[in-house]
């Protein structure tokens, strides 16, 4: 399973805001820095975001951003395996949704 962690910033914007990161790059960068710090405080290895602009903006800061449905699909795939192979596949993953798309032997 995967644990959902909430940030302590009350869901504040990441700074991308449509064209905002292009029109106001320094201010948007400071907003992103605050968001990255809030994410870091959770200890999460991955950020789930359904917004492509946010995903790109946070990825540019070095975070791993994934669409929530990607994570759900990968977890469902693991859950449908036998317990022994699911445990084997989850070992060594940075987080439960981090796979290379290749089967491990």
């Amino acid at each position: 399973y995967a644990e959902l962690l909430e940030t302590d910033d009350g869901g504040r914007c990441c700074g991308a805001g449509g064209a905002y990161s292009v029109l106001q790059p320094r201010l948007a960068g400071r907003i992103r820095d605050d968001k990255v710090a809030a994410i870091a405080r959770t200890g999460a290895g991955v950020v789930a975001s359904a917004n492509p602009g946010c995903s790109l903006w946070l990825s540019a800061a070095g975070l791993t951003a994934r669409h929530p449905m990607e994570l759900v699909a990968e977890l469902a795939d693991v859950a449908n395996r036998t317990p022994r192979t699911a445990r084997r596949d989850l070992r060594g993953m940075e987080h439960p949704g981090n796979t290379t798309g290749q089967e491990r032997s």
Side-chain angles (χ1 to χ4, degrees):
Y1 82 97
E3 182 179 2
L4 176 65
L5 304 170
E6 296 286 338
T7 58
D8 59 8
D9 65 355
R12 188 170 176 198
C13 176
C14 72
Y20 190 74
S21 60
V22 174
L23 299 173
Q24 298 289 331
R26 281 194 288 185
L27 184 54
R30 289 198 305 263
I31 294 168
R32 178 178 60 189
D33 291 344
D34 291 345
K35 177 57 92 173
V36 168
I39 293 166
R41 288 191 295 272
T42 70
V46 112
V47 175
S49 176
N51 183 302
C54 295
S55 293
L56 288 170
W57 189 237
L58 294 172
S59 293
L63 297 176
T64 300
R66 307 273 308 276
H67 193 283
M69 292 312 298
E70 284 183 277
L71 301 173
V72 169
E74 288 176 11
L75 289 169
D77 182 49
V78 169
N80 288 324
R81 297 180 192 163
T82 66
R84 190 178 68 125
T85 59
R87 277 193 305 275
R88 181 197 69 207
D89 288 350
L90 286 173
R91 273 194 308 266
M93 288 182 163
E94 181 181 331
H95 60 85
N98 186 20
T99 65
T100 61
Q102 300 171 354
E103 288 294 320
R104 293 177 178 86
S105 53

